[in-house]
């Protein structure tokens, strides 16, 4: 989607952080934006400020973990703007604790918001984008934690962010015939309110009992990128139709090490006694 001017975007988690940064970048590029968030007051305040600056935005309160809420938000977007071209399934939350300590509620909340929230956004909006035949683009927010595993005490977050990468790669293929693109945003540290996420935990997931992991601190986050820079990068990546959107080039070497480990384990498996003795396709006796 090369030309953004006049297009309509729907952004979740738009009251704060990266979602707000995307909204600002999109409106600067002449887009109209439906801002969706679970936090009513923060959403109204953010939209009020943007309108004062001349931006064309509307708001809808939405809990992305609830399918009916996202479908209602899609209907509200079409009512307000008539069309939709860009959908950013961005709302996300975090919670920590060792895998065995995380409660059913911890898992349910993170899977509900971080993963099913993305599924709901795709299901509610993609049929409209296909029908319009004007092109479009879906941006799903994952994380570097969606490509680099192994962060102790980040099990639910790591797992849901990996799932978002997998889903987006499928969506991108499915979009080829439908004339729309898809990207997965994999930020490193961004200066947002993500560590205050439990403020938005619905009662049905129970109280937060696990402890937030201490291997990334609030101070680390405060040293992170400005969300407005991320918003501008996302706009550029939509126009260039990139699959992965990375915000921190320093992670390249860690990703490279992960891939080297993957390849090393393929080589080990090919030479393993179990596969070699069975004459399995691709196996190679050592030496
Ligand atoms: N900040 C970072 O360093 C970082 C790094 C990697 C990935 N991310 C991802 O970026 C995305 C945006 O987070 P952020 O860092 O801007 O945090 P943030 O807390 O500043 O913003 C998240 C927004 O999502 C909203 N939200 C929470 N639950 C919701 C729900 N159920 N339905 C609708 N809205 C809901 C919150 O009210 C908030 O406005 C998340 O998916 C997060 O996992 C952030």
């Amino acid at each position: 989607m090369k030309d953004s001017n006049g297009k309509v975007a729907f952004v979740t988690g738009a009251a704060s952080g990266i979602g707000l940064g995307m909204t600002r970048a999109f409106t600067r590029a002449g887009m109209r934006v439906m801002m969706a968030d679970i936090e009513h007051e923060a959403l109204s305040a953010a939209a009020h400020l943007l309108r004062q600056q001349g931006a064309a935005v509307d708001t809808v309160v939405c809990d992305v973990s609830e399918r009916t809420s996202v479908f209602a938000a899609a209907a509200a977007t079409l009512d307000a703007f008539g069309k939709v071209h860009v959908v950013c399934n961005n709302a996300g939350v975090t919670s920590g604790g060792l895998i065995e300590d995380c409660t059913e509620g911890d898992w349910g909340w993170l899977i509900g918001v971080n993963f099913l929230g993305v599924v709901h956004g795709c299901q509610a909006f993609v049929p409209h984008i296909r029908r319009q035949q004007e092109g479009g683009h879906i941006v799903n927010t994952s994380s570097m934690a969606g490509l680099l595993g192994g962060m102790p005490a980040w099990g639910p977050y790591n797992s849901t962010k990996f799932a978002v990468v997998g889903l987006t790669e499928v969506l991108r293929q499915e979009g080829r015939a439908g004339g729309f693109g898809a990207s997965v945003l994999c930020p490193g540290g961004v200066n947002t309110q993500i560590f205050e996420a439990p403020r938005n935990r619905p009662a049905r997931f129970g109280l937060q009992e696990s402890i937030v992991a201490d291997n990334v601190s609030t101070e680390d986050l405060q040293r992170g990128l400005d969300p407005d820079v991320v918003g501008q990068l996302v706009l550029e990546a939509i126009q260039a139709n990139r699959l992965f959107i990375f915000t921190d080039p320093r992670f390249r070497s860690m990703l490279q090490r992960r891939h080297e480990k993957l390849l090393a384990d393929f080589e080990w498996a090919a030479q393993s006694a179990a596969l070699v003795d069975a004459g399995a396709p691709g196996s190679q006796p050592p030496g």
Side-chain angles (χ1 to χ4, degrees), residues 127-195:
H128 297 294
I129 291 175
R130 281 190 198 276
R131 230 180 347 261
Q132 280 169 197
Q133 297 192 349
E134 294 182 11
H137 205 96
I138 317 291
V139 179
N140 296 328
T141 301
S142 174
S143 169
M144 281 315 300
L147 290 164
L148 295 167
M151 294 162 66
W154 284 78
Y157 190 78
N158 244 187
S159 310
T160 54
K161 293 302 186 179
F162 264 73
V164 172
V165 171
L167 178 138
T168 310
E169 290 188 278
V170 173
L171 184 70
R172 190 172 167 95
Q173 292 304 320
E174 293 179 355
R176 287 184 192 279
F180 65 90
S183 304
V184 59
L185 172 61
C186 299
V190 184
N191 187 7
T192 72
Q193 302 190 76
I194 188 80
F195 282 171

Side-chain angles (χ1 to χ4, degrees), residues 233-273:
L233 172 70
V234 168
L235 178 64
E236 201 179 321
I238 291 172
Q239 288 163 345
N241 194 19
R242 304 304 303 186
L243 170 55
F244 291 102
I245 311 176
F246 294 121
T247 70
D248 189 339
R250 291 172 300 178
F251 279 100
R252 189 184 188 284
S253 55
M254 286 173 79
L255 208 51
Q256 188 164 2
R257 279 201 295 280
R258 174 177 163 80
H259 286 172
E260 282 163 6
K261 279 184 206 152
L262 282 172
L263 296 179
D265 280 345
F266 263 113
E267 277 153 31
W268 177 87
Q271 299 188 353
S272 67

Side-chain angles (χ1 to χ4, degrees), residues 24-212:
R24 287 204 192 101
F26 293 169
T27 54
R28 275 198 303 270
M31 295 171 77
R32 294 168 289 161
V33 181
M34 178 59 93
M35 302 170 68
D37 204 285
I38 198 170
E39 276 201 321
H40 180 256
E41 274 181 30
L43 184 63
S44 302
H48 179 69
L49 217 63
L50 280 162
R51 281 194 201 102
Q52 281 182 330
Q53 295 159 2
V57 295
D58 206 338
T59 60
V60 61
V61 174
C62 167
D63 178 350
V64 299
S65 68
E66 300 257 25
R67 186 181 159 82
T68 50
S69 182
V70 182
F71 274 74
T77 306
L78 291 167
D79 277 355
F81 297 119
K83 297 195 165 171
V84 62
H85 304 94
V86 171
V87 175
C88 298
N89 296 307
N90 165 75
V93 291
T94 182
S95 165
L98 297 179
I99 287 172
E100 71 264 32
D101 292 338
C102 290
T103 63
E104 201 62 12
D106 294 333
W107 286 101
W109 183 41
L110 264 74
I111 291 169
V113 179
N114 293 1
F115 180 59
L116 291 179
V118 175
V119 173
H120 297 152
C122 295
Q123 292 189 325
F125 284 94
V126 165
H128 297 294
I129 291 175
R130 281 190 198 276
R131 230 180 347 261
Q132 280 169 197
Q133 297 192 349
E134 294 182 11
H137 205 96
I138 317 291
V139 179
N140 296 328
T141 301
S142 174
S143 169
M144 281 315 300
L147 290 164
L148 295 167
M151 294 162 66
W154 284 78
Y157 190 78
N158 244 187
S159 310
T160 54
K161 293 302 186 179
F162 264 73
V164 172
V165 171
L167 178 138
T168 310
E169 290 188 278
V170 173
L171 184 70
R172 190 172 167 95
Q173 292 304 320
E174 293 179 355
R176 287 184 192 279
F180 65 90
S183 304
V184 59
L185 172 61
C186 299
V190 184
N191 187 7
T192 72
Q193 302 190 76
I194 188 80
F195 282 171
E196 281 100 67
R199 71 190 186 278
N200 291 315
R201 180 170 168 141
R204 69 179 188 280
F205 294 114
L207 283 177
Q208 177 117 6
E209 287 172 23
S210 49
I211 307 298
V212 171

